[in-house]
Amino acid sequence: MKKVLVIYFSCGGVTKRIAEYMQSVEGVDVWPLEAVQPYTEGDLLAANPRARVSVEAADAKCRPEFVNKDINLAKYDTVVIGYPIWFMLPPRIIYTLLGKLNFQNKQIVPFCTSGGSPVAKSEEDLRKTFPNLNWGKGKQFSYTSSKQDVENWIRGL
């Protein structure tokens, strides 16, 4: 069986819950991606053009730092990267992650959590920004996604 690592970034808890569903499958490990500067409720107010999420989303070169934790990617075949959709894209911290760690010779599979925005635009932007990575087909989950649906998806990778 493939060894899978799920790296996820979550602020509201939905992405974390989906990642925890994945962790219940044998052979799947989970690693939370944490921002050096944690996001506050005010930072997440997307309707405010001065909120942190709005400012970061508008700057394609923005790369928020994450808490540096030792992680050995060598033992994994597949790395699943989970994130909430912000302005149809992954949070910029996901770009920081992909730019800092060595994902060569790994299959990278994105998943997003969203109430309605599909994974396609965010997946397209990740592929365009990191064209040398081996991308698998992404998946969108919502707050209503069942544990069984999530487990079935991760087993099918």
Side-chain angles (χ1 to χ4, degrees), residues 51-117:
R52 184 173 168 195
V53 294
S54 300
V55 172
E56 289 179 1
D59 180 1
K61 294 185 192 261
C62 179
R63 297 293 183 264
E65 289 297 321
F66 60 90
V67 175
N68 191 11
K69 295 181 183 178
D70 291 330
I71 186 162
N72 180 7
L73 295 176
K75 65 182 181 177
Y76 299 100
D77 305 300
T78 302
V79 180
V80 175
I81 298 178
Y83 51 87
I85 291 287
W86 289 355
F87 300 94
M88 300 295 289
L89 297 171
R92 297 295 179 187
I93 196 168
I94 298 298
Y95 297 81
T96 308
L97 172 78
L98 291 167
K100 284 199 170 195
L101 297 183
N102 181 0
F103 290 96
Q104 295 303 316
N105 302 316
K106 308 289 175 211
Q107 180 182 39
I108 310 298
V109 182
F111 82 86
C112 73
T113 55
S114 170
S117 299

Side-chain angles (χ1 to χ4, degrees), residues 4-74:
V4 176
L5 175 64
V6 176
I7 301 174
Y8 72 91
F9 176 71
S10 183
C11 287
V14 176
T15 308
K16 178 182 180 184
R17 180 172 47 83
I18 298 298
E20 288 171 347
Y21 288 169
M22 293 177 189
Q23 188 174 24
S24 66
V25 174
E26 184 180 346
V28 176
D29 293 331
V30 171
W31 187 64
L33 181 63
E34 298 171 14
V36 167
Q37 179 186 350
Y39 289 79
T40 67
E41 282 187 41
D43 290 336
L44 300 173
L45 296 174
N48 178 353
R50 292 190 199 122
R52 184 173 168 195
V53 294
S54 300
V55 172
E56 289 179 1
D59 180 1
K61 294 185 192 261
C62 179
R63 297 293 183 264
E65 289 297 321
F66 60 90
V67 175
N68 191 11
K69 295 181 183 178
D70 291 330
I71 186 162
N72 180 7
L73 295 176

